[in-house]
Amino acid sequence: MRFAREILDAIFKQAAAEYPSECCGIVTGTNEHQRLHALTNIQDKLYADDPETHPRTSRNAYAVDRNELERVLADAAGKGESVLAFYHSHIDCGAYFSPLDKEVQTVFGEPEYPRAVQVVVAVKEKQIYEIKGYLWDGKKQDFIQVEVR
């Protein structure tokens, strides 16, 4: 997947700014015109409200506010845009697609947006050191790594 330079720069800036919390967001548009939508990671609120049900903090998980997400998706649909990518950061570890990431991005074993690239950005000490993309492979029923640039 090829992202506009300003989109990657904005993702990197958000990931560094939100460190040591994971950041998250969506890229909508077309290959020629892309828009970044930074989303709020509400994982710490979930943890504070019910640590038994939500044992992870924003340092090693993310959750988006469903209302915020729905507003972004409705705005994109109203403009005729596709969901190109979902992104989030990993803190002080690699840009791998974890079993938890797969669980978050699938419903009944399939992603809601199978053509959207899942971008993971690795951040260490507020520095970006790795970015990887993952795309759903329907035959393998799993996400496979794809080039992100």
Side-chain angles (χ1 to χ4, degrees), residues 47-99:
Y47 175 79
D49 291 347
D50 186 356
E52 194 168 306
T53 302
H54 304 281
R56 295 174 180 251
T57 67
S58 66
R59 183 167 178 78
N60 55 16
Y62 74 95
V64 298
D65 179 300
R66 196 69 191 173
N67 292 327
E68 185 180 16
L69 175 63
E70 293 300 328
R71 283 191 299 274
V72 168
L73 295 173
D75 177 64
K79 290 179 168 55
E81 297 175 344
S82 297
V83 174
L84 301 176
F86 292 91
Y87 67 89
H88 72 280
S89 59
H90 280 181
I91 305 303
D92 298 329
C93 63
Y96 59 92
F97 202 70
S98 72

Side-chain angles (χ1 to χ4, degrees), residues 18 44 83:
E18 293 187 23
D44 285 336
V83 174

